[in-house]
Amino acid sequence: MQEIWIFGYGSLIWRPDFPFLESQPGNICHWSRRFWQGSHDHRGTENRPGRVLTLIASKGKRCCGLTYRVTKEVLAHLDHREKNGYERHEVWIQLPSKKVSGIVYIANQQNAAFLGEAPLEVIADQICQSEGPSGSNVEYLTKLATALKDLRIEDDHVFQLDALVRDKRGLHTN
Ligand code: SIN
């Protein structure tokens, strides 16, 4: 049985819909989470794309997430799930007790669905208004923010957006 490590930083953290042999916290260097990728297949539609995460190269920054050890067969499922612009990248992943080489799915700036940077207010509005076959864009953001807090992972970009979206929806932030 051939095995591989997958680093998850977005929905792979809170919706691992695949079998895994183990999961551990992990981090990768020189990347930051950003809601800069458009989604018309999961959290939006062709006419009204939602915004989901990708990783942006950021020298000196560290992205913390969850790492899964899976059998190679799982890759076909993940390739399909992450098909809207994401590509596999090989990375070194720091686990609590060792460094392993593995794979992370990144949507780069050349992919057709890439939306890029925008003011947080604009991103928050777009998230509030978008819904797709997998559910609302708000769910994607709030479930991620909750999962990161549970894992004690700090992420200003995500938490600021979560607070803005809660505000817009009249919910209190704690
Ligand atoms: C990931 O979670 O690692 C990839 C991006 C996503 O599916 O949200």
Side-chain angles (χ1 to χ4, degrees), residues 6-14 52-54 81-82 86 104-106 140:
I6 306 283
F7 178 77
Y9 57 91
S11 66
L12 293 187
I13 292 182
W14 57 267
V52 291
L53 284 173
T54 185
R81 169 173 164 165
E82 305 293 322
Y86 293 85
V104 59
Y105 284 85
I106 298 176
Y140 180 103

Side-chain angles (χ1 to χ4, degrees), residues 35-77:
F35 272 84
W36 291 4
Q37 172 67 1
S39 173
H40 53 254
D41 60 342
H42 282 300
R43 301 285 162 175
T45 59
E46 283 290 346
N47 294 335
R48 207 182 261 272
R51 274 192 179 252
V52 291
L53 284 173
T54 185
L55 292 180
I56 301 297
S58 319
K59 211 163 173 38
K61 301 280 184 204
R62 208 157 44 111
C63 178
C64 297
L66 262 190
T67 313
Y68 302 93
R69 186 161 61 86
V70 300
T71 60
K72 280 218 160 146
E73 291 75 68
V74 169
L75 283 181
H77 168 72

Side-chain angles (χ1 to χ4, degrees), residues 76-95:
H77 168 72
L78 288 176
D79 285 352
H80 180 73
R81 169 173 164 165
E82 305 293 322
K83 66 182 186 310
N84 188 25
Y86 293 85
E87 284 173 3
R88 295 183 202 166
H89 284 249
E90 279 185 30
V91 278
W92 284 104
I93 309 165
Q94 181 65 58
L95 301 180

Side-chain angles (χ1 to χ4, degrees), residues 5-25:
W5 289 95
I6 306 283
F7 178 77
Y9 57 91
S11 66
L12 293 187
I13 292 182
W14 57 267
R15 198 173 69 84
D17 62 347
F18 50 88
F20 54 90
L21 305 163
E22 70 175 295
S23 88
Q24 293 193 34

